[in-house]
Amino acid sequence: MKQWLPFELHCHTFHSDGKQSLMELAEAAKALGLRGVALTDHNTMTGLSNRDEVVVSTGIEVIPGLEWTTFFGHMLTLGLTEYVDWRNLSPFHIHRGIEGVHRQGGLVGVAHPFRVGSPMCTGCFWEFEVSDWDDIDYIEVWSGLFPSIRRSNSRALAMWTDLLNQGHRIAATSGRDWHVSDPVTEPISATYLGIRDTVISSSGLAMAALDALKRGAVAVSMGPLPQLSVRTEGCEKANIGDMVKLIPDQLTEITVGVDFSARTGYWELPDHALDMKLVSNKGQLESIKLTRDLPKVCRARDLTGVQWLRAEMHGVFCNVSTMIGFTNAIYFS
């Protein structure tokens, strides 16, 4: 069994430049219907000192991590057990640091790659040279509040798409870059992780969340949860993040849906149909209308030549016609 749980994967406390304690962060996350957060303070892990107490008190999972904050870019590192030093990293040697994170079983993600950099935000614009994108576990393609309308995020989404087209299996997430627990009027986005119950029981929720992120079992939304799965004529089924063998010139059943119960009560939608766009390396394949009365549709298509497939959920949100959420890709061999 798999459950989709909403997380915020980019957070700060007063141990770096935030204005909240870890307890305040977790309580605010709970009030927003989230199930967990990743603490990614700038270049320090001291904010995790009372992690166990916070998790027990609030029921909010806390994934340990930090944000390497350099002159050449910001990189999120999750699942660390020990501090990994970033100070010897030059623009051409980011892989030395990545190797140190992966040795601990941790994950690395590029944070807000196209945000305005110096002098407004030192190092926020990504300038590290990545010689092998297969070493990068995920990219924060949506950053900040109401992320879908930010031009820098459109560039990050296009960057992710280009990497998928090049054959890389890399996950995409959202990150609020959360510094203050004060209420906000702009919508937030959640990163939903498809967590396997068997992994939770054996290793705990934090490790299960990292397992989901590593597998690419990820969907992102400001509102309801977009869903996607496929089944080939050989009856092989694949969900978000999976790879499936495609049989050329045969039909593949595609199931696209919307879970309107996800974080219900924390977002509002007008009574309009949502456009679920099926997007691939061959461009947009189809747009499907879904509503609360028709939340799921199956289509049979010949996907010959398709290397990856994702669903993008578009509609009216906060009086703006915009993308509301998207799934990560299903891959084909």
Side-chain angles (χ1 to χ4, degrees):
M1 293 291 292
K2 182 187 295 182
Q3 51 183 317
W4 290 90
L5 301 181
F7 279 74
E8 171 51 61
L9 298 180
H10 189 163
C11 305
H12 299 279
T13 69
F14 53 61
H15 284 260
S16 59
D17 62 343
K19 297 181 180 179
Q20 58 193 345
S21 66
L22 182 57
M23 184 69 77
E24 290 169 333
L25 169 64
E27 289 173 342
K30 187 174 184 177
L32 290 172
L34 300 175
R35 184 60 185 84
V37 298
L39 183 58
T40 54
D41 274 325
H42 297 285
N43 300 333
T44 181
M45 296 178 69
T46 58
L48 292 161
S49 59
N50 65 332
R51 171 179 176 265
D52 292 345
E53 174 192 349
V54 169
V55 172
V56 171
S57 176
T58 64
I60 296 296
E61 186 57 69
V62 178
I63 299 172
L66 71 145
E67 182 177 8
W68 289 342
T69 308
T70 80
F71 289 113
F72 315 111
H74 293 187
M75 172 159 275
L76 300 166
T77 62
L78 304 183
L80 298 181
T81 56
E82 298 178 3
Y83 184 85
V84 177
D85 201 346
W86 53 273
R87 290 172 296 177
N88 64 342
L89 301 180
S90 76
F92 311 105
H93 297 98
I94 186 67
H95 291 275
R96 289 191 306 206
I98 293 172
E99 182 182 357
V101 175
H102 285 166
R103 275 200 303 267
Q104 293 190 32
L107 305 181
V108 297
V110 176
H112 44 64
F114 294 105
R115 185 180 295 178
V116 175
S118 299
M120 294 178 63
C121 181
T122 301
C124 282
F125 188 90
W126 185 262
E127 295 183 277
F128 279 109
E129 181 178 295
V130 178
S131 60
D132 185 358
W133 279 97
D134 288 336
D135 278 354
I136 306 297
D137 297 296
Y138 68 99
I139 299 172
E140 187 181 79
V141 300
W142 273 9
S143 177
L145 298 171
F146 210 160
S148 66
I149 65 173
R150 295 174 180 255
R151 184 175 301 176
S152 59
N153 292 336
S154 297
R155 294 182 67 187
L157 190 74
M159 170 188 178
W160 175 50
T161 301
D162 286 343
L163 290 168
L164 295 180
N165 287 338
Q166 293 170 31
H168 300 287
R169 292 182 62 179
I170 186 167
T173 68
S174 65
R176 178 174 169 178
D177 205 351
W178 199 354
H179 286 74
V180 184
S181 295
D182 295 345
V184 294
T185 56
E186 293 182 275
I188 69 163
S189 177
T191 298
Y192 287 83
L193 301 176
I195 294 175
R196 298 184 291 201
D197 292 342
T198 54
V199 181
I200 295 178
S201 60
S202 63
S203 60
L205 182 54
M207 292 302 295
L210 292 171
D211 170 74
L213 181 54
K214 184 176 181 60
R215 289 184 289 110
V218 181
V220 172
S221 181
M222 299 183 292
L225 174 64
Q227 300 173 311
L228 181 68
S229 64
V230 301
R231 187 185 296 275
T232 67
E233 285 209 351
C235 293
E236 187 177 357
K237 185 175 181 181
N239 293 305
I240 298 166
D242 292 341
M243 177 171 279
V244 64
K245 184 174 178 59
L246 195 65
I247 304 174
D249 303 318
Q250 294 193 15
L251 297 179
T252 297
E253 182 183 85
I254 304 169
T255 302
V256 60
V258 177
D259 180 0
F260 287 95
S261 69
R263 287 187 66 244
T264 184
Y266 297 97
W267 46 265
E268 294 182 2
L269 278 176
D271 190 20
H272 296 161
L274 294 173
D275 286 318
M276 299 296 292
K277 299 181 180 181
L278 297 177
V279 179
S280 75
N281 56 292
K282 298 178 73 174
Q284 182 175 316
L285 302 181
E286 188 173 356
S287 183
I288 300 169
K289 300 283 189 182
L290 293 181
T291 65
R292 292 179 187 272
D293 294 329
L294 182 65
K296 183 186 296 185
V297 165
C298 295
R299 289 281 195 271
R301 291 186 64 100
D302 182 353
L303 296 182
T304 301
V306 172
Q307 298 170 350
W308 59 267
L309 179 73
R310 70 173 183 245
E312 297 181 356
M313 182 171 63
H314 292 253
V316 176
F317 199 80
C318 292
N319 298 315
V320 177
S321 180
T322 186
M323 186 191 299
I324 300 171
F326 58 89
T327 72
N328 271 239
I330 296 174
Y331 301 90
F332 301 95
S333 63

